[in-house]
Amino acid sequence: MSTFVIPADARSWIDVASNSDFPIQNLPYCSYAAERCQHGSIAVRIGDFLVDLYELAEAGLLPGFEFHFCIDFQETLEHAGRESLAGVRKALFELLLEGNDTLKGDEGLRAKVLIPIEHAQILMPITPNAFVDFYSGIHHASNVGRMFRPDQPPLLPNYRHLPVGYNGRASSVVVSGTEIHRPKCQTKGPNDEMPTYGPSKELDFELELGFITGKGNEMGVPIPIAEAEDYIFGIVLVNDWSARDTQRWEYQPLGPFLSKSFATTISPYVVSLDALEPFRIAGPVQEPAVLPHLQAPRASHYNIRLEVAIQTAKMTRPQVICRSNAQHLYWSFVQQLAHQASNGTPVEAADLYATGTISGTAEGSFGSLLELTWRGTKPLTLEETGETRTFLEDGDELILTGYCQGDGYRIGFGECRGRVLPSL
């Protein structure tokens, strides 16, 4: 499909701060609780406003797009697909562009369409049909291998040949701002005779990105990697919370289960691949060469800067503890999707696929406390209070952010935020 890239020098008649995540070049989709539609109405964000797409469509300002926006995002994707929603984004750009008075000059309609963000209750952008978590951050995978298999190569033999992943729990995916209860799980220490059941003592975050599909394939029909982008609607931030003590005990031989299924947090704004297009880059050299069905026809990574901050109950402001970048992913979004569907599994619109933890090469770029504290042996000191952390404690809040820096603008994702509550 064709790509619509908004020029870097474009400006809107809506005032947008230079450091905003949401300039006219972005226009990400979201869902909010409108008065007429409390369970969710689709909107696009620009600056400090939401643009209500239902009201625009009712006013006849989205001609040619005859689907109903007072439904959840999943249904919108199923009815519209990525290509139609890309057309909506283009129409919005023209309406919001500096010098266009069609919406700007209609005060009554403008009051219906533009919702100040401080008055909006932001909801989950989708209810995912399925959730898959990959393991595509090669530096994270190497660090974990060094910790837990010090006498063996850091990466297992399959790592450079396919995107390793597992099926997660779609029903526990929640939107930014949702508080997370510490999970109770079964664990067994190295010197314990028997396992015990209770609150996890090694609760962790994982810095990830996720892509949301915009359409599906027929069961039995693989998705060719050259067409995979057509199936990807947009990108969100992901915090795939992890109970490390449970994970060590349960993961062999089938992988994570209860250690991951209690909660996964996503950011509420779905950033389109079109908005990310100016930041497309080549990924790391893949050696040995991957099999033909996983060879992307063009560069398929993105230069997305990522940060994680923590704020404890005693702190008055958050402290950044990790700075990383999506360029550290070994496997790209299209490779992940092509692999997922290579056996003919039926992908559906509004599936969520997470990348796995995105760590860089330096300690300050590690995307989990497991790595930042090196399995708890190097406690992290928080500057404001002098507190230390090896893993998360009750009351701790994690804030994930990400953006691409352009010439005079940035394409951001908003926040992926969650606070830890005691076990129930």
Side-chain angles (χ1 to χ4, degrees):
M1 63 173 292
S2 60
T3 299
F4 174 60
V5 177
I6 295 173
D9 60 355
R11 295 294 180 266
S12 174
W13 49 265
I14 295 175
D15 288 333
V16 179
S18 60
N19 63 346
S20 171
D21 277 356
F22 309 109
I24 196 170
Q25 289 82 4
N26 193 350
L27 303 181
Y29 287 90
C30 65
S31 180
Y32 83 106
E35 286 187 15
R36 67 171 188 284
C37 196
Q38 290 294 309
H39 66 273
S41 190
I42 308 304
V44 162
R45 180 155 180 187
I46 180 168
D48 293 329
F49 291 91
L50 298 183
V51 181
D52 188 305
L53 299 188
Y54 173 86
E55 296 293 351
L56 273 184
E58 286 289 289
L61 294 183
L62 295 177
F65 304 104
E66 298 174 353
F67 38 88
H68 196 258
F69 283 106
C70 191
I71 47 181
D72 70 23
F73 204 34
Q74 179 175 342
E75 291 182 65
T76 298
L77 283 173
E78 290 171 352
H79 285 88
R82 179 189 165 195
E83 189 162 2
S84 289
L85 288 174
V88 171
R89 181 172 173 270
K90 184 175 182 180
L92 279 171
F93 162 71
E94 293 171 354
L95 284 170
L96 298 172
L97 184 63
E98 191 174 46
N100 189 330
D101 290 332
T102 304
L103 176 60
K104 179 184 179 182
D106 189 332
E107 184 177 353
L109 179 59
R110 199 173 67 239
K112 289 183 179 180
V113 168
L114 294 183
I115 312 300
I117 192 64
E118 65 265 24
H119 299 156
Q121 180 187 354
I122 305 298
L123 306 174
M124 278 277 287
I126 62 163
T127 302
N129 295 304
F131 169 50
V132 171
D133 189 30
F134 286 102
Y135 195 46
S136 294
I138 191 169
H139 303 306
H140 171 72
S142 298
N143 286 338
V144 171
R146 292 187 187 98
M147 283 185 225
F148 293 99
R149 300 185 304 274
D151 56 344
Q152 301 176 40
L155 298 175
L156 293 173
N158 64 353
Y159 191 88
R160 293 181 183 271
H161 294 278
L162 57 83
V164 176
Y166 68 93
N167 287 296
R169 185 73 178 173
S171 62
S172 62
V173 177
V174 296
V175 74
S176 175
T178 305
E179 295 179 318
I180 306 301
H181 286 279
R182 181 179 299 273
K184 290 182 178 178
C185 304
Q186 189 179 119
T187 60
K188 183 178 181 298
N191 300 317
D192 295 339
E193 183 177 347
M194 293 291 290
T196 58
Y197 173 76
S200 169
K201 297 177 181 178
E202 298 182 10
L203 184 60
D204 201 356
F205 72 89
E206 289 189 343
L207 170 62
E208 307 190 22
L209 289 165
F211 65 85
I212 294 170
T213 50
K215 66 177 181 178
N217 60 317
E218 293 184 17
M219 186 171 180
V221 180
I223 296 174
I225 193 165
E227 300 175 13
E229 282 192 19
D230 293 345
Y231 289 78
I232 299 174
F233 172 62
I235 312 299
V236 294
L237 296 168
V238 177
N239 180 0
D240 194 27
W241 305 87
S242 298
R244 300 297 186 188
D245 42 358
T246 307
Q247 188 174 355
R248 282 197 306 274
W249 171 234
E250 73 172 3
Y251 84 101
Q252 294 180 337
L254 296 181
F257 188 46
L258 300 186
S259 58
K260 298 279 193 172
S261 63
F262 61 95
T264 299
T265 304
I266 65 172
S267 53
Y269 302 103
V270 184
V271 177
S272 68
L273 289 185
D274 284 3
L276 297 178
E277 181 63 28
F279 309 98
R280 184 187 293 269
I281 58 173
V285 176
Q286 294 183 319
E287 295 179 340
V290 300
L291 295 176
H293 72 291
L294 293 177
Q295 292 177 7
R298 60 173 179 155
S300 56
H301 282 66
Y302 298 90
N303 181 8
I304 305 173
R305 305 179 189 185
L306 301 167
E307 290 189 356
V308 180
I310 187 172
Q311 183 168 351
T312 73
K314 295 180 180 179
M315 295 169 66
T316 61
R317 61 187 182 276
Q319 175 182 326
V320 174
I321 57 175
C322 165
R323 290 184 173 91
S324 188
N325 194 295
Q327 66 187 357
H328 297 304
L329 289 169
Y330 191 76
W331 298 99
S332 67
F333 303 138
V334 295
Q335 289 178 311
Q336 292 164 7
L337 183 57
H339 176 64
Q340 166 71 81
S342 63
N343 68 344
T345 188
V347 171
E348 298 179 284
D351 283 353
L352 173 65
Y353 296 86
T355 58
T357 306
I358 306 174
S359 295
T361 56
E363 288 188 8
S365 65
F366 294 166
S368 67
L369 282 173
L370 178 69
E371 299 164 88
L372 288 169
T373 70
W374 207 255
R375 205 179 174 184
T377 62
K378 300 178 180 179
L380 187 70
T381 300
L382 304 176
E383 297 170 357
E384 181 184 356
T385 61
E387 297 171 89
T388 59
R389 289 292 184 272
T390 53
F391 293 98
L392 297 173
E393 297 185 8
D394 294 345
D396 290 351
E397 186 170 31
L398 271 294
I399 307 104
L400 280 59
T401 54
Y403 65 94
C404 304
Q405 185 60 55
D407 183 10
Y409 72 98
R410 64 169 52 179
I411 301 295
F413 294 81
E415 293 183 336
C416 181
R417 180 185 289 260
R419 187 164 66 96
V420 180
L421 299 181
S423 296
L424 294 174

